[in-house]
């Protein structure tokens, strides 16, 4: 009796230690936004300890992690479309993200900022392709003002300069 009670207590302590280690790992993964791993940890806890009193909390955390993982995937998909200049596809994904969670941001970027960038660059490119140099230069200038440190900054500066050069050339030809 006494030995069995001691063994049960030891098993309970080890079980609790195992649970606590996983909860700490889940918290760490959460701060790193490794949502799929967070979800897996909570689902493991749910399957291994189905009668634990914290079950409802674990299920809620697993559901939250699943939602966060989906939102990050959508965010990355939007970024992918933007990088490839697939404006319509990017708009659809960004609208979906905004509908699912207004004000959403990931990786230090708000969805609203991505949407502004997409609209701004699309307008600038349309004007540039149409040879509307004043509008093109203005739109690229606006992008440079709105998005200071941006991976595409150098490209925007080049496009703005090209538009300004073509504008100056047209002016000199008209006056010449």
């Amino acid at each position: 009796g006494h030995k069995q009670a001691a063994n049960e207590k030891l098993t309970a302590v080890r079980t609790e230690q195992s649970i606590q280690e996983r909860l700490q790992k889940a918290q760490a993964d959460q701060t790193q936004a490794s949502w799929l791993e967070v979800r897996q940890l909570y689902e493991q806890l749910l399957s291994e300890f189905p009668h634990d009193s914290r079950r409802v909390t674990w299920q809620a955390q697993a559901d939250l992690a699943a939602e966060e993982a989906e939102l990050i995937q959508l965010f990355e998909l939007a970024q992918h479309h933007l990088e490839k200049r697939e404006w319509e596809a990017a708009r659809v994904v960004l609208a979906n993200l905004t509908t699912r969670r207004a004000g959403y941001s990931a990786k230090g970027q708000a969805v609203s900022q991505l949407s502004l960038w997409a609209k701004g660059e699309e307008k600038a490119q349309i004007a540039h392709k149409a040879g509307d140099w004043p509008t093109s230069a203005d739109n690229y200038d606006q992008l440079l003002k709105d998005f200071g440190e941006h991976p595409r900054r150098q490209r925007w500066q080049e496009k703005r300069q090209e538009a300004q050069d073509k504008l100056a050339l047209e002016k000199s030809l008209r006056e010449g």
Side-chain angles (χ1 to χ4, degrees):
H2 180 68
K3 195 171 186 175
Q4 187 180 354
N7 279 344
E8 285 174 10
K9 186 170 175 122
L10 185 61
T11 302
V13 166
R14 285 193 181 133
T15 298
E16 187 55 31
Q17 279 179 325
S18 171
I19 289 171
Q20 288 305 318
E21 284 168 12
R22 289 186 209 183
L23 289 173
Q24 286 171 348
K25 170 112 174 71
Q27 297 268 278
D29 286 345
Q30 213 165 324
T31 58
Q32 295 165 9
S34 306
W35 292 108
L36 291 173
E37 291 166 36
V38 172
R39 182 174 141 213
Q40 281 178 325
L41 284 164
Y42 281 112
E43 286 174 351
Q44 284 172 358
L45 286 169
L46 287 164
S47 72
E48 288 179 39
F49 309 103
H51 305 296
D52 193 285
S53 62
R54 294 164 283 190
R55 181 175 178 72
V56 173
T57 303
W58 296 345
Q59 185 62 59
Q61 292 292 345
D63 294 345
L64 171 72
E67 171 76 1
E68 291 296 331
E70 282 178 36
L71 291 174
I72 285 209
Q73 280 180 318
L74 283 173
F75 187 85
E76 288 171 349
L77 181 61
Q79 285 183 314
H80 170 79
H81 287 308
L82 290 171
E83 292 302 322
K84 295 204 167 286
R85 294 184 197 79
E86 297 165 348
W87 308 118
E88 187 56 35
R91 264 199 301 277
V92 169
V93 175
L94 290 167
N96 184 352
L97 259 171
T98 304
T99 302
R100 289 182 65 177
R101 185 171 307 154
Y104 181 74
S105 64
K107 302 179 181 181
Q109 268 193 312
V111 167
S112 57
Q113 286 295 100
L114 282 182
S115 295
L116 275 175
W117 162 39
K119 284 180 193 144
E121 190 160 357
E122 184 181 24
K123 276 180 13 189
Q125 283 187 352
I126 289 169
H128 204 82
K129 281 182 182 156
D132 179 351
W133 307 124
T135 304
S136 173
D138 288 348
N139 286 336
Y140 281 113
D141 198 47
Q142 193 61 51
L143 281 167
L144 289 163
K145 283 183 187 136
D146 290 346
F147 303 98
E149 291 307 312
H150 194 280
R152 298 173 77 87
R153 182 171 185 75
Q154 188 173 348
R155 178 172 172 71
W156 296 340
Q157 286 170 327
E158 291 165 3
K159 289 287 188 182
R160 178 184 63 185
Q161 191 58 53
E162 183 185 337
Q164 288 170 339
D165 292 349
K166 292 197 176 182
L167 192 59
L169 179 65
E170 282 180 3
K171 188 177 177 194
S172 72
L173 289 173
R174 273 197 309 272
E175 293 170 358

